[in-house]
Amino acid sequence: MKIEIVKSEQEKEAAYRIRHIVFVDEQQVPIEEEIDDYEDEAIHFITYDEGNAVGASRLRFVEDYGKLERICVLKPYRGKSIGKNIIERMENEIVKKGYKKAKLHAQTHAKEFYEKLGYYVISDEFMDAGIPHVAMMKDLQ
């Protein structure tokens, strides 16, 4: 498995395709909410398994933290620690850029997954794209 920063339009399109499958097709998130005004400022990641693009995510820097967003893995590849590896790769990039905190908005069904990776809840539950979420933070020392 390889997790790389997107460098080409072809890789970016592959990341968008994965996000579309997971968020728009599976979770019914409106496309206009999935692809937003932050795409150009974000660092995009693409995950390959045996040469196949199977996961995607993006990272933005906001205030004093790195914000992990749009983390997704295609259904046939879930349960293989790919999501955990994506998070770790993104956290490494945050530290590399000199930041000490990571933040994300977790769908409530995934809260325990993020807690196992060291994230803690910092908000009440809220709705985003019709899906319940909580904000979570992690200190990256």
Side-chain angles (χ1 to χ4, degrees), residues 75-93:
K75 194 177 271 185
Y77 297 89
R78 294 179 196 156
K80 300 179 179 185
S81 298
I82 294 172
K84 175 182 181 274
N85 290 322
I86 291 171
I87 301 290
E88 289 171 352
R89 174 66 177 88
M90 295 173 79
E91 289 172 352
N92 288 339
E93 192 64 26

Side-chain angles (χ1 to χ4, degrees), residues 104 106-121 123 125 133-136:
L104 54 82
Q107 294 181 7
T108 54
H109 71 83
K111 182 174 76 95
E112 287 181 20
F113 166 77
Y114 292 111
E115 286 174 335
K116 287 177 186 170
L117 297 176
Y119 287 81
Y120 54 91
V121 175
S123 76
E125 189 174 299
H133 284 72
V134 289
M136 301 183 81

Side-chain angles (χ1 to χ4, degrees), residues 39-53:
E39 301 299 343
D40 290 339
E41 73 182 57
I43 298 170
H44 295 267
F45 294 81
I46 185 92
T47 303
Y48 296 98
D49 183 48
E50 296 181 9
N52 298 311

Side-chain angles (χ1 to χ4, degrees), residues 19 22-36 58 70 105-109 125-134:
R19 287 171 46 187
V22 173
F23 296 119
V24 179
D25 296 345
E26 286 181 27
Q27 299 183 357
Q28 304 302 302
V29 172
I31 187 67
E32 58 275 5
E33 290 185 47
E34 171 51 28
I35 303 297
D36 63 20
R58 76 177 190 191
R70 306 301 198 270
H105 292 169
Q107 294 181 7
T108 54
H109 71 83
E125 189 174 299
F126 60 92
M127 297 299 282
D128 186 9
I131 301 167
H133 284 72
V134 289

